[in-house]
């Protein structure tokens, strides 16, 4: 019988890949503000690698903020619309991957035993 990989591991891989794409894109920019953005995206990396649910939860809010900023940038500057919407799409993929990791990880955990099951009689 084949060992199946849990769905949460696929979401983890997609989230980490999208996170590194966003950080890499921001790092090649010539703005100090872009470097600050890349550093902020690097903050959750240790917790993501350790598979801490709490880190996935707050990182998804951080990435949602980035996605909203890039969507606003695309509407504000029509000449950079394609680039901004592309980065917003990567941020949206990262957001969905982070949220799905938390959801699937919760489903994969064994259910805790109820106290009524442990106490008989």
């Amino acid at each position: 019988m084949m060992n199946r990989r849990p769905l949460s591991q696929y979401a983890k891989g997609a989230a980490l890949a999208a996170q590194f794409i966003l950080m890499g894109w921001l790092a090649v920019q010539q703005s100090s503000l872009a470097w600050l953005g890349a550093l902020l995206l690097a903050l959750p990396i240790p917790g993501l690698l350790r598979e801490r649910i709490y880190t996935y939860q707050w990182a998804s809010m951080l990435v949602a903020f980035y996605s909203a900023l890039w969507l606003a940038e695309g509407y504000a500057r029509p000449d950079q619309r394609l680039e901004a919407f592309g980065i917003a799409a990567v941020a949206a993929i990262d957001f969905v991957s982070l949220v799905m990791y938390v959801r699937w990880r919760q489903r994969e955990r064994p259910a805790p035993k109820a106290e009524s099951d442990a106490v008989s009689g």
Side-chain angles (χ1 to χ4, degrees):
M1 185 177 263
M2 226 169 98
N3 265 343
R4 297 186 91 174
R5 194 171 164 191
L7 288 175
S8 63
Q9 295 305 309
Y10 292 107
K12 175 186 171 187
L16 286 173
Q19 195 88 5
F20 283 118
I21 289 170
L22 289 171
M23 285 175 31
W25 185 86
L26 285 170
V28 299
Q29 301 301 309
Q30 299 300 319
S31 164
S32 59
L33 189 58
W35 277 92
L36 178 64
L39 285 174
L40 286 175
L41 282 173
L43 288 176
I45 296 294
L48 296 178
L49 292 173
R50 291 186 189 111
E51 298 183 3
R52 294 187 175 158
I53 297 292
Y54 182 74
T55 305
Y56 277 84
Q57 292 169 339
W58 70 260
S60 69
M61 293 299 107
L62 177 68
V63 172
F65 179 70
Y66 272 82
S67 184
L69 285 177
W70 285 110
L71 287 172
E73 178 82 15
Y75 282 112
R77 296 186 179 173
D79 56 324
Q80 296 178 351
R81 184 167 288 172
L82 184 62
E83 179 181 356
F85 285 172
I87 294 299
V90 172
I93 290 169
D94 193 11
F95 173 77
V96 169
S97 299
L98 290 166
V99 170
M100 293 310 294
Y101 175 83
V102 172
R103 181 174 273 198
W104 288 335
R105 183 73 186 270
Q106 295 295 335
R107 288 183 184 169
E108 291 167 1
R109 284 188 177 171
K113 279 194 162 188
E115 286 186 36
S116 61
D117 292 341
V119 178
S120 58

